[in-house]
Amino acid sequence: PSKKLQGEKERLNIENLSVLVMGKFNAGKSAMMNALFGQKFLGDAPVPKTAVIAEISYSEQEDITLYPKKGKWKDGDQPFKCKKEDLDKYTSIDHSADDNWETPFDKVVIKYPLDFCKNGIMLVDSPGLDDPTSNDRITKEYLPKADTIIYCMSSAQAYSAVDADQISILRSSGYTSIIFVITYWDVIKNNDELTGSNGAEELSKYLTDILSPLTDLGKEGIFFVSSIDALIGKMNNNQELLKSSGILEIEAKAEKILA
């Protein structure tokens, strides 16, 4: 109880409202974040994974600062500026190449003219839950300060055992109005078009039945998102594609909850 109260106290002292984005490796977190940005900002390739915690808030001018861990970065411990096009090489890692690799950076702070964050919202993009070097820190440092949770799951592996355990922990910690985002939904829809099947509707109903009791938002807290369609829609101002992607509903729901 005292730990939770301390977290509440810290949250009251923070000017921004914090939205923590969570999920396993390859859950589509960074792709969804890029869709919110309206441009490819964070690494979302299928092999490299996000390895550095990213704090994202609003600013009229783009500003990216990397914070090294003490004694871990070859160029010293002082924070330094980074260009957007160089960010991926600092924040991604292929754990299949080296399971013991650990990022030399504590976090990256991104300030950007992102409409989603304009009214004092800070997005926190976290590494995969199955990254042993970061999961403990996310749970202890960022979770107690979060005002709401966006929990991402890939449509191909939604509600795994890891997801079930983590969601249970979140709910027992008092986070009951979780926003669930099922990503890579374009893959399911495209497969239906190719095969003439009805997999999207069936999977949507199946996951809604499972997940709706796990959030106080019920069915209104579950979203099926095509992040690539959302990104293309924003970049090309294609309103039809943007609307069908599902990203607009997430933006509206998160803003409503935080308000």
Side-chain angles (χ1 to χ4, degrees):
S2 60
K3 182 180 177 182
K4 186 174 181 181
L5 286 173
Q6 179 61 32
E8 294 290 344
K9 182 179 178 182
E10 291 180 7
R11 285 164 64 184
L12 289 172
N13 291 330
I14 296 174
E15 183 178 351
N16 286 336
L17 295 168
S18 176
V19 179
L20 179 58
V21 183
M22 304 179 69
K24 294 167 53 184
F25 279 144
N26 291 334
K29 299 185 301 299
S30 295
M32 185 200 69
M33 299 283 276
N34 285 333
L36 291 174
F37 276 111
Q39 60 178 286
K40 194 174 186 305
F41 208 103
L42 303 171
D44 60 354
V47 176
K49 290 97 174 180
T50 303
V52 180
I53 295 165
E55 297 178 358
I56 303 160
S57 57
Y58 184 86
S59 173
E60 291 290 341
Q61 301 297 321
E62 179 184 305
D63 184 88
I64 304 172
T65 306
L66 278 153
Y67 290 78
K69 294 178 180 177
K70 189 174 181 179
K72 297 292 185 180
W73 179 237
K74 60 182 179 63
D75 294 329
D77 299 338
Q78 292 301 311
F80 62 94
K81 302 297 183 182
C82 169
K83 294 181 179 179
K84 181 182 70 173
E85 54 267 27
D86 296 328
L87 183 60
D88 201 17
K89 71 180 182 182
Y90 293 115
T91 60
S92 296
I93 185 61
D94 182 3
H95 276 276
S96 64
D98 183 358
D99 290 336
N100 297 316
W101 184 91
E102 182 178 347
T103 176
F105 299 105
D106 183 61
K107 65 180 179 180
V108 57
V109 174
I110 300 172
K111 296 181 180 180
Y112 187 79
L114 177 61
D115 287 342
F116 184 84
C117 298
K118 196 168 188 177
N119 295 319
I121 294 174
M122 180 176 75
L123 282 166
V124 179
D125 184 26
S126 63
L129 292 169
D130 26 11
D131 181 355
T133 64
S134 300
N135 192 13
D136 193 49
R137 183 184 172 207
I138 289 292
T139 302
K140 291 181 178 179
E141 183 176 341
Y142 283 88
L143 187 56
K145 301 176 186 177
D147 292 289
T148 196
I149 308 293
I150 294 179
Y151 194 95
C152 295
M153 292 177 277
S154 166
S155 57
Q157 302 174 339
Y159 201 61
S160 66
V162 172
D163 293 322
D165 289 344
Q166 187 61 55
I167 292 166
S168 178
I169 292 171
L170 291 174
R171 290 186 59 81
S172 65
S173 300
Y175 296 95
T176 55
S177 296
I178 304 169
I179 298 173
F180 292 117
V181 177
I182 312 302
T183 60
Y184 302 115
W185 200 243
D186 51 306
V187 176
I188 304 299
K189 292 192 297 184
N190 290 341
N191 184 67
D192 280 356
E193 291 183 9
L194 289 172
T195 63
S197 57
N198 200 27
E201 183 177 340
E202 293 173 1
L203 184 57
S204 172
K205 183 180 184 307
Y206 171 74
L207 291 174
T208 299
D209 289 343
I210 290 177
L211 296 173
S212 55
L214 301 178
T215 173
D216 290 353
L217 301 172
K219 294 180 180 180
E220 292 188 0
I222 304 167
F223 300 89
F224 300 88
V225 176
S226 303
S227 298
I228 294 177
D229 288 348
L231 180 58
I232 294 173
K234 284 192 175 183
M235 293 178 69
N236 298 329
N237 195 26
N238 185 328
Q239 294 302 312
E240 183 177 348
L241 191 61
L242 191 57
K243 186 176 180 179
S244 67
S245 71
I247 198 70
L248 298 180
E249 287 84 351
I250 294 176
E251 294 175 340
K253 177 58 70 173
E255 188 173 338
K256 183 178 179 180
I257 291 172
L258 290 166

